[in-house]
Amino acid sequence: MEYRNATLKDIPGITELQLKYHVSTIKEEDKIDGFVTTLFTEDQFKELIQKENGLAIACDGNKIVAYAMAASWKYWSAWPLFQHMIKDLPNTNYLGQTLSMENSYQYGPICIHKDYRSSKVLPNLFEFSRKQMNKRYPILITFINQINPRSYTAHTKKLGLEVIKAFEFNNNQYYELGYDTSKKTPGATI
Ligand SMILES: CC(C)(COP(=O)(O)OP(=O)(O)OC[C@H]1O[C@@H](n2cnc3c(N)ncnc32)[C@H](O)[C@@H]1OP(=O)(O)O)[C@@H](O)C(=O)NCCC(=O)NCCS
């Protein structure tokens, strides 16, 4: 398995994976194992790759089997949910610090093709992304929909993210979670 940053040529493969597991297009029987809610347009993928270098992928040969996003809050401010989270940063403390757009970034969504779940792809892709973002930010912040228990278990029990608070947005219930980016990811082998 190869872990690397995506380039513009990878966008079609990432779009295919996004379609397969996005809440609006996922097969009903796949929903139980999680879904992604942030939908990216081609331009948003381009900006993420070119301006943020924030699109990590796992490749099995030529096939893109997983992706994980990570970017500054400035990038995410295009989506209403993130505007809500950004406004709340000054009210949130984690690792002894008050969160800000300077000391934290937003990780996620992450999406792994179902044939590659329950494997090293989860910790290794997370680790690949964490190592790069650690050079810029001490704190990782993310959110998980409370009706996505697989993602919750994967992030809290396997990767060691900590729940900071619960919040509601647009009638959905979410957890906000954090991670100290100086810590190596449990279970990672890269
Ligand atoms: C969420 C995701 C990245 C986690 O990666 P993963 O490789 O599946 O994670 P793992 O299987 O290592 O860990 C999840 C654990 O949750 C538990 N689990 C499995 N299915 C579950 C379910 N339906 N409900 C609750 N817990 C579940 C298991 O303990 C599992 O570990 P195990 O299979 O080794 O026992 C992946 O499932 C995925 O891409 N899902 C679709 C998109 C998504 O939900 N992205 C996250 C958005 S926040």
Side-chain angles (χ1 to χ4, degrees), residues 133-148:
M133 297 308 279
N134 169 244
K135 294 174 196 145
R136 287 184 264 166
Y137 302 98
I139 298 172
L140 170 155
I141 295 293
T142 192
F143 75 94
I144 298 178
N145 193 317
Q146 291 186 15
I147 57 166
N148 191 345

Side-chain angles (χ1 to χ4, degrees), residues 6 12 15 25 39 55 58 62 64 82 113 138 146 165 170 183 186:
T15 303
T25 39
L39 186 66
L55 213 174
N62 290 330
I64 298 170
F82 294 119
H113 188 285
Q146 291 186 15
K165 61 169 77 169
N170 255 351
K183 278 190 350 199

Side-chain angles (χ1 to χ4, degrees), residues 120 122-128 159 184-190:
K120 286 290 172 198
L122 173 73
N124 285 348
L125 184 61
F126 185 86
E127 176 68 1
F128 180 83
L159 300 178
K184 187 175 163 82
T185 309
T189 53
I190 59 165

Side-chain angles (χ1 to χ4, degrees), residues 21-22 26 30-37 65-67 107-114 116-123 142-145 148-155 157-159:
Y21 298 114
H22 189 265
I26 191 171
D30 286 343
K31 226 173 175 178
I32 181 87
D33 290 314
F35 50 86
V36 293
T37 46
V65 299
Y67 64 72
Y107 145 86
I110 181 170
C111 187
I112 303 174
H113 188 285
K114 62 180 177 183
Y116 294 82
R117 296 188 189 156
S118 298
S119 75
K120 286 290 172 198
V121 172
L122 173 73
T142 192
F143 75 94
I144 298 178
N145 193 317
N148 191 345
R150 183 172 188 131
S151 179
Y152 181 81
T153 305
H155 283 94
K157 300 270 171 351
K158 296 213 164 163
L159 300 178

